[in-house]
Amino acid sequence: MNLFDEAMIFGIVSGLIAVIYSIAVTVWALKHDEGSDKMKDIARYIQEGATGFLNRQYRTVFIVGIIIFALILIGGIWIHQFGILTASGFALGSILSALAGYLGMFNAVRANVRTAQIAHKGVDPALKFAFKGGSVTGLMVLGLGVLGISVFMLIGYHTSGLAGVINSLIGFAFGCSLISVFARLGGGIYTKAADVGADLVGKVEAGIPEDDPRNPAVIADQVGDNVGDCAGMAADVFETFAVTIIASMLLAYSTFKGDGGTELYKALLYPLLLGGIAVFTSIFGVFFVSAPTKEKIMSGLYKGLFATGIISAIIYYFFTVNFMKGVGSHSAIDYYYASLVGLVLTGLIIVITDYFTSTSFSPVKGIAKASTTGHGTNIIAGLAVGQMATALPVIAIVFGILLSYHFAGFYGIAVAVSSMLSMAGMVIAVDSFGPITDNAGGIAEMSELPPDVRETTDALDAVGNTTKAVTKGYAIGSAALAAIVLFGEYAKLIGRGSILYSFSISKPQVLIGLFLGAMLPYIFGSLAMKAVGKAAGDIVVEVRRQFKEITGLMEGKPGVKAEYGKCVDIVTKSSLREMILPAFIPIAAPIIFGLTMGPQVLGGMLLGTIISGLFVAISMTSGGAAWDNAKKLIEKGLYGGKGSEAHKAAVTGDTVGDPYKDTAGPAINPMIKVVNIFTILIIPIVLLLWH
């Protein structure tokens, strides 16, 4: 058995172990008590709504996918890079990306009610259960990524050779990205339309608490947490992980193919093997999570994250110095240092994002204080925090690029971002913890559980809001680095390896492309924000109607129930309709600008999209999370607490921040990579027209 086959078998085995772990934890979780009949009924509403939305969303995307699959297949008649293997990769990437989101949602909507019930026992049992529930999503994302790439490469290698399977990997990456951008947009529009609609009428107009069962949009809001923050994020980071590994392999192939033999294979396989090793370190890290008190919840989660990072750093050292010996002009220890840069960068982005979005630090406290002087000052403070929050992550990314390039050249950047994404399992576990605890709090409120239970779920939910922001910062930062690696591969393909020659800023075509590319995230973000506004407007109208027409609903009379299903149906139809236009921007732009203006403009467009997209996405996600946590800080009793003028201003800020942090900002992440991947896919056509 040769080195390639051995590596693929390791990838398959490690991926299967992650999947088996996820199934085992799901079975274990399902054995726990769901609580009262009322809790079970509410949980069932959420499950049905989330499943119904994803089924309809995937049916919509399936039609788009079939068309693209056929075009790639037919394109093989004229373009060598297209054909059956690339089309098969596209189909497999699409299926696995959708599966990662679906399975993550399936577990989350069942862990929520059980977390609410376990909250009777205190903070630590509820935290451990919710986090293990989230770890199912994280390990499934990591496992399916390693498993899918390994299976595809093993089959492709033995049917089409190394060059054939490498050229076809871009199809796999495009399938992941296409599903991701739809999942992020559709889920993001859904969750924020329901949330904003519920808050505007429930909190602001009617003056009833969050998650009050009288609010007809409350179930839609709970569903949105799962289809947006769980399924959407799972598909997003699955795509980022898979695309990063594939981009690193493409770059390794073009960089080391002159060396040939064992060196080429080792450079090619190294990024994937880091992901396979991470399966084991992530599972080990899960058992470090614990928190004896409410004040220790965040540090309890971070123990698991940093334990995984430290264990990974140790194992990567022994693996790298042995596996990468004699590869290229750099020493094995240089490649290890590059991988270490990725792990450190993960920690830095987590800490920085936590600072700007946690209730413990001055940025969020400043927004809360600004709320005491009105709605306008709250908005100004939130915008300021969002813009300031871009500086430190970008500086960290810049140093990461410099260091990893210093250690191992452009391939070193690929190693760093592959190492960074090897943490995806634990990071997604921390993220999925958020919607599980958010739903648990809603179920506790709607089921009228004792105050101490709600206090526990509120404490977990407050931390979950920060962890979701931290995960988005991680996803965006890693996406930017992955996009840079993809751009390097694009430059090599059209410039025969000379990036400076191909993209000198003295050429007007490059400058034109920079401006056009920088424009795209703004248009994309604008359409996503408007989509939330339209969908939220539909919910507002429906909630007002029910409050007006259903006698006894506002008074909470026994036996009178809101028509939850109508709100779920309205926001489902609206979000699926509104996601179509922005989702096609990253596909239309390369076609329009690349085919009509040439590879120079197209390359500049890629750079412009990466740079402006990074800043816009970080600003939106961090600013939106800071607005949300400022509201939560006031709801704890600061500046008059719930119902005060400061609270009303904070609710307004949160209403603006919601589509920022959960729709437009996160969706820019897959949008950046779709532009890059689709561009690499159509390079043969562009070169055919322009050379």
Side-chain angles (χ1 to χ4, degrees), residues 74-347:
I74 295 168
I77 299 172
W78 299 280
I79 305 297
H80 178 66
Q81 183 174 307
F82 293 0
I84 183 63
L85 192 58
T86 303
S88 299
F90 170 80
L92 182 60
S94 301
I95 292 168
L96 290 178
S97 183
L99 191 61
Y102 198 94
L103 293 175
M105 178 278 300
F106 176 90
N107 181 73
V109 296
R110 286 158 179 81
N112 52 14
V113 66
R114 292 167 173 84
T115 300
Q117 180 65 12
I118 291 172
H120 284 90
K121 300 177 182 179
V123 170
D124 196 47
L127 167 67
K128 288 180 177 177
F129 182 84
F131 184 78
K132 281 188 178 177
S135 74
V136 170
T137 308
L139 267 297
M140 195 65 79
V141 165
L142 191 60
L144 288 177
V146 175
L147 178 63
I149 294 173
S150 299
V151 168
F152 179 73
M153 288 195 67
L154 185 63
I155 295 172
Y157 177 75
H158 287 286
T159 56
S160 303
L162 184 62
V165 72
I166 291 297
N167 288 332
S168 300
L169 275 173
I170 200 66
F172 187 102
F174 184 50
C176 297
S177 293
L178 185 72
I179 294 296
S180 174
V181 76
F182 276 107
R184 255 304 179 200
L185 270 173
I189 293 168
Y190 186 109
T191 183
K192 289 306 106 180
D195 194 1
V196 170
D199 282 355
L200 284 177
V201 186
K203 284 186 180 179
V204 178
E205 294 182 9
I208 60 177
E210 187 173 3
D211 299 324
D212 192 298
R214 291 173 290 175
N215 193 328
V218 70
I219 293 294
D221 187 11
Q222 300 292 325
V223 170
D225 291 330
N226 293 286
V227 299
D229 287 325
C230 194
M233 177 57 85
D236 182 356
V237 176
F238 174 86
E239 176 258 359
T240 303
F241 174 77
V243 167
T244 297
I245 300 301
I246 289 169
S248 301
M249 286 180 165
L250 292 173
L251 189 70
Y253 183 74
S254 59
T255 302
F256 293 94
K257 66 180 176 182
D259 300 331
T262 305
E263 287 189 37
L264 170 61
Y265 281 98
K266 285 185 175 181
L268 195 69
L269 298 169
Y270 182 60
L272 178 63
L273 294 175
L274 291 181
I277 293 169
V279 168
F280 301 97
T281 60
S282 298
I283 293 173
F284 195 70
V286 169
F287 297 96
F288 279 83
V289 173
S290 64
T293 64
K294 295 174 186 176
E295 293 73 27
K296 300 288 186 179
I297 295 173
M298 184 62 83
S299 61
L301 292 170
Y302 282 170
K303 276 193 295 186
L305 266 173
F306 290 117
T308 301
I310 293 168
I311 296 165
S312 296
I314 295 169
I315 295 177
Y316 287 173
Y317 171 78
F318 292 103
F319 169 68
T320 304
V321 295
N322 287 286
F323 187 79
M324 295 297 284
K325 189 181 297 182
V327 176
S329 58
H330 298 276
S331 66
I333 198 68
D334 287 332
Y335 297 117
Y336 171 69
Y337 288 149
S339 72
L340 207 58
V341 168
L343 294 176
V344 172
L345 190 55
T346 298

Side-chain angles (χ1 to χ4, degrees), residues 44-103:
R44 189 177 67 254
Y45 289 143
I46 297 170
Q47 291 166 19
E48 290 172 354
T51 303
F53 172 79
L54 284 189
N55 287 343
R56 290 166 74 166
Q57 183 185 50
Y58 287 159
R59 281 199 298 269
T60 303
V61 180
F62 178 76
I63 297 170
V64 178
I66 286 292
I67 295 170
I68 295 175
F69 176 85
L71 290 174
I72 295 173
L73 195 61
I74 295 168
I77 299 172
W78 299 280
I79 305 297
H80 178 66
Q81 183 174 307
F82 293 0
I84 183 63
L85 192 58
T86 303
S88 299
F90 170 80
L92 182 60
S94 301
I95 292 168
L96 290 178
S97 183
L99 191 61
Y102 198 94
L103 293 175

Side-chain angles (χ1 to χ4, degrees), residues 601-630:
V601 172
L602 194 54
M605 185 196 77
L606 296 183
L607 283 173
T609 303
I610 295 168
I611 301 303
S612 82
L614 175 62
F615 281 91
V616 173
I618 293 175
S619 176
M620 284 184 166
T621 53
S622 294
W627 260 315
D628 194 347
N629 272 345

Side-chain angles (χ1 to χ4, degrees), residues 360-435:
S360 303
F361 302 107
S362 59
V364 170
K365 290 179 179 178
I367 297 174
K369 186 176 182 181
S371 303
T372 61
T373 51
H375 300 252
T377 48
N378 170 282
I379 298 297
I380 292 168
L383 290 172
V385 167
Q387 291 175 11
M388 184 59 73
T390 62
L392 289 177
V394 170
I395 291 171
I397 289 170
V398 166
F399 275 105
I401 292 171
L402 286 172
L403 284 172
S404 55
Y405 185 87
H406 168 74
F407 289 128
F410 209 85
Y411 178 71
I413 300 174
V415 170
V417 69
S418 297
S419 173
M420 189 177 180
L421 262 300
S422 71
M423 293 287 291
M426 277 299 289
V427 174
I428 288 297
V430 171
D431 176 81
S432 297
F433 165 85

Side-chain angles (χ1 to χ4, degrees), residues 38 65 87 98 144 294 301 352 486 499 514 565 575 661 680:
K38 191 171 185 179
L144 288 177
K294 295 174 186 176
L301 292 170
I352 292 166
L486 284 167
I499 296 175
L514 285 170
S575 57
K661 70 180 175 69
I680 291 176

